[in-house]
Amino acid sequence: MLAHEPPGIALAIENAARELEDATPHAILRWALQRFAPRIVLACSFGGPTGIVALDLVMNLDPKTPVYYLDTDLLFPETYALVERIAAKYDIVPRAVRPSIGLTAQEAAFGAALWERNPDACCSLRKVEPQREFLAGYDAWITGIRRDQTTSRRQAPVVQWDEQFGLVKINPFVRWDEERIWAYVRFHDLPVNGLHERGYASIGCVPCTRAIGAGEDLRAGRWPGLGKTECGLHV
Ligand code: SF4
């Protein structure tokens, strides 16, 4: 783990972000894998389609690249089913990164349905802290975030130093939009989360995700009514 921003890396990241700003996700990923493998890992939520496109590109470039997802114990059956389909298709074993506290222990310590009363605390326990521990073993992680998803992601660079987790963060899809992602999915006939067929756009944990209606923002189904737009992984 790099932990603290190593001297000189800020400039190197800044240069890489500038040089790769107009590059394709394929070229960005090729650069990242050449630069960081084997200490680079792909985060895939198995919720939205961007992570699946990322996974397909990464597997084509270097099938040895590790893949993980945050298994909060609260994912949809459709999400777990997609993990299995992807595992079979690419002959990989995506790593389930789990919280150190089970749901029963969480309820005993913080009360029932913490996600309704304090979703930030719940995300911290079930997503952010497990991810922090897991990423300590790597120098770079690949994400599927896009600038069109939320206001806070609008300025996301292609490559950045991730202060929160202490490693380099690669965002190859920042310039792509939903339409382009789905075009790739259809062209390559990739498996996606079965909930998309039922009106779900962005998919996370069961208690915090709903289907969206016509004209609603793509992330409107996440933490509905709670004024929360991020789980704390991308700050
Ligand atoms: Fe908890 Fe909801 Fe965050 Fe999942 S998305 S970890 S249930 S608050």
Side-chain angles (χ1 to χ4, degrees):
M1 178 195 176
L2 298 173
H4 300 295
E5 189 173 330
I9 200 165
L11 188 59
I13 289 172
E14 219 173 275
N15 287 341
R18 197 170 40 246
E19 282 163 19
L20 293 165
E21 169 64 21
D22 296 323
T24 62
H26 183 270
I28 295 164
L29 287 167
R30 192 178 50 212
W31 171 84
L33 292 168
Q34 280 171 355
R35 173 77 177 74
F36 295 106
R39 294 182 58 80
I40 183 168
V41 63
L42 170 67
C44 179
S45 70
F46 297 94
T50 313
I52 303 302
V53 174
L55 190 144
D56 186 67
L57 282 169
V58 167
M59 289 299 110
N60 288 332
L61 283 163
D62 183 355
K64 296 190 301 301
T65 309
V67 178
Y68 78 98
Y69 63 105
L70 297 172
D71 185 355
T72 58
D73 303 316
L74 290 160
L75 302 180
F76 286 89
E78 288 83 351
T79 302
Y80 291 113
L82 181 59
V83 173
E84 285 184 22
R85 285 179 72 195
I86 290 288
K89 176 177 169 64
Y90 296 97
D91 193 20
I92 58 171
V93 182
R95 166 83 176 268
V97 174
R98 293 204 164 84
S100 57
I101 184 167
L103 288 172
T104 310
Q106 178 169 306
E107 183 166 336
F110 302 100
L114 181 60
W115 45 85
E116 288 175 5
R117 293 173 291 108
N118 190 342
D120 285 345
C122 185
C123 277
S124 176
L125 287 166
R126 312 206 74 74
K127 290 185 174 184
V128 179
E129 291 314 315
Q131 165 146 306
R132 188 189 311 285
E133 199 175 314
F134 177 71
L135 288 183
Y138 293 94
D139 291 344
W141 68 303
I142 302 164
T143 85
I145 64 167
R146 306 196 321 252
R147 289 173 186 158
D148 69 336
Q149 288 169 325
T150 62
T151 313
S152 61
R153 296 182 187 185
R154 215 151 277 163
Q155 305 296 328
V158 169
V159 186
Q160 64 187 126
W161 176 254
D162 188 332
E163 201 66 55
Q164 178 175 212
F165 295 115
L167 77 174
V168 177
K169 183 174 178 182
I170 316 287
N171 309 313
F173 295 92
V174 285
R175 291 189 308 113
W176 278 31
D177 60 15
E178 191 77 357
E179 200 178 322
R180 203 155 178 197
I181 289 290
W182 279 107
Y184 185 103
V185 165
R186 289 191 198 98
F187 186 80
H188 295 277
D189 195 21
L190 300 183
V192 290
N193 196 302
L195 289 172
H196 292 309
E197 284 178 357
R198 291 165 41 200
Y200 287 74
S202 174
I203 300 161
C205 297
V206 174
C208 303
T209 309
R210 65 158 170 81
I212 59 170
E216 269 194 310
D217 187 85
L218 289 173
R219 285 180 68 89
R222 302 294 296 278
W223 304 284
L226 292 172
K228 177 174 164 74
T229 58
E230 293 278 3
C231 45
L233 303 174
H234 305 289
V235 293

